[in-house]
Amino acid sequence: MDTNKNKTNNTSDKDKTSTPKGTSKDTNQNSSNESATQNSNNSTQNSSQENQDKSNQEDDTGMDEKKNSQKPSETEKGGPLFTFFIAGLKDILYAEKHLLEALPKMQKAATTNELQEAFEDHYLLTQKHVSRIEKVFKMLGEEPETKKCEAIVGIVKEGENTIKETEDGSMTRDAGLIIAAQKVEHYEIASYGGLAALAETLELYDISELLHKTLEEEEQTDELLTMIAESNINFAAKEDDQEGESDQEYDDENEEDEDFYDEEYDENRYSSQQRRFFY
Ligand code: FE
Ligand code: FE
């Protein structure tokens, strides 16, 4: 992470994510790839167009081009488990699209550049997640429809309440936003974990792999948010409770110093309140 980033140059790094890239699964996929190959001999007829589609979308989805896609039979498609699996995909597609609307608002409301960047990065990741689910629908020969996810609507609403209930520019705002975002991540982790397991059960191994990629990214985002909260924001938020008259005196006395800090430390992406915590 470039430590010289600040609010004004966030957009220049849009292609970077704060979350570490999930690659551990990539190296462990050979056995499931072979298994998928063995189980999908009947899929080669429809693979030509799909391989081309995969190649076109590889950057968006992270899908291994060599993976074979197995389409379920019509009998399997009519089964209750498959129907439930499709409903789950529609639910999470709705959730991801809903988050594309919510994340910019959370980014705008956040106090620190660190959290703003985390939300900005996760917005880009969420776009990728939408692409992956749409690809899954395509591999299944289904339309990428959405089904309203009441849970994510409620969790996002809670996040909006957090913004209303906390002071603009406070560290308490960020502490609250992190918890709101982690509630979202935990919903996604439960959804993707369950759907990936169901895909495996349905012998849709390549689809399970795609869902696992997203699952890993959601888990990494959750860990990143924990790290941001516990490394400084929660401590700095505690300072919100201790600010008062003495804090005002501090501000007056250190006005000149603040100017110095603005020039010197904005590049280190610390807000004035965070700097107060560190100094
Ligand atoms: Fe997501
Ligand atoms: Fe997420």
Side-chain angles (χ1 to χ4, degrees):
M1 171 89 52
D2 181 358
T3 54
N4 290 325
K5 277 197 284 188
N6 58 31
K7 279 186 184 181
T8 56
N9 66 9
N10 279 351
T11 51
S12 67
D13 286 278
K14 274 180 186 291
D15 57 338
K16 274 203 297 190
T17 62
S18 295
T19 50
K21 301 296 180 197
T23 55
S24 59
K25 287 270 182 200
D26 297 345
T27 55
N28 293 326
Q29 292 296 343
N30 288 341
S31 59
S32 67
N33 190 11
E34 287 166 13
S35 177
T37 305
Q38 287 162 4
N39 285 305
S40 62
N41 289 335
N42 62 350
S43 69
T44 49
Q45 306 95 308
N46 56 37
S47 63
S48 173
Q49 180 62 40
E50 285 180 12
N51 280 344
Q52 191 176 352
D53 293 335
K54 279 178 192 172
S55 178
N56 291 342
Q57 294 188 29
E58 191 179 3
D59 285 347
D60 282 348
T61 63
M63 181 70 184
D64 185 335
E65 197 178 351
K66 291 176 188 161
K67 288 284 178 192
N68 288 314
S69 171
Q70 337 61 347
K71 278 191 179 174
S73 68
E74 289 307 311
T75 309
E76 286 167 332
K77 275 189 169 187
L81 185 60
F82 185 85
T83 302
F84 183 80
F85 177 66
I86 293 291
L89 290 172
K90 290 178 181 178
D91 175 283
I92 198 66
L93 181 57
Y94 179 98
E96 296 282 19
K97 288 185 170 180
H98 194 62
L99 292 169
L100 285 178
E101 295 173 22
L103 279 163
K105 295 176 197 167
M106 294 168 80
Q107 182 188 342
K108 194 174 170 209
T111 298
T112 58
N113 288 344
E114 189 175 21
L115 190 56
Q116 287 175 355
E117 283 181 14
F119 287 148
E120 184 181 19
D121 289 344
H122 202 61
Y123 178 87
L124 299 175
L125 214 45
T126 300
Q127 287 181 316
K128 193 189 275 190
H129 296 170
V130 169
S131 295
R132 279 202 193 120
I133 303 169
E134 288 174 344
K135 182 173 180 64
V136 166
F137 274 107
K138 195 169 187 177
M139 290 159 77
L140 292 167
E142 299 278 331
E143 286 300 310
E145 294 170 356
T146 58
K147 176 169 164 273
K148 186 174 182 182
C149 171
E150 301 287 356
I152 212 72
V153 170
I155 293 170
V156 166
K157 185 95 182 78
E158 264 195 32
E160 289 168 356
N161 289 340
T162 296
I163 294 170
K164 283 180 197 157
E165 291 163 7
T166 53
E167 195 179 330
D168 194 26
S170 67
M171 297 301 281
T172 301
R173 164 76 60 84
D174 276 14
L177 280 176
I178 287 174
I179 292 173
Q182 287 190 290
K183 287 178 182 178
V184 169
E185 293 313 308
H186 282 233
Y187 180 81
E188 291 183 301
I189 287 166
S191 299
Y192 281 110
L195 288 170
L198 278 188
E200 194 110 351
T201 304
L202 291 164
E203 300 183 5
L204 303 168
Y205 301 111
D206 48 354
I207 288 172
S208 179
E209 181 192 344
L210 278 180
L211 296 170
H212 266 293
K213 281 181 189 293
T214 302
L215 174 63
E216 284 176 19
E217 289 168 359
E218 307 292 14
E219 287 171 341
Q220 287 159 0
T221 300
D222 181 49
E223 287 169 18
L224 174 74
L225 289 166
T226 296
M227 194 267 289
I228 292 173
E230 295 184 356
S231 64
N232 60 46
I233 284 178
N234 285 356
F235 295 108
K238 192 179 176 194
E239 297 288 298
D240 284 349
D241 288 356
Q242 293 163 359
E243 286 181 358
E245 283 182 25
S246 60
D247 184 63
Q248 186 58 48
E249 286 167 20
Y250 177 96
D251 284 347
D252 294 343
E253 287 169 9
N254 291 281
E255 209 166 71
E256 287 183 16
D257 288 344
E258 287 285 321
D259 291 341
F260 168 76
Y261 289 141
D262 282 343
E263 291 168 16
E264 190 72 9
Y265 292 97
D266 264 359
E267 290 188 348
N268 290 329
R269 300 165 41 234
Y270 293 123
S271 73
S272 59
Q273 277 168 294
Q274 279 176 299
R275 291 200 299 272
R276 195 173 307 152
F277 170 70
F278 286 117
Y279 292 94

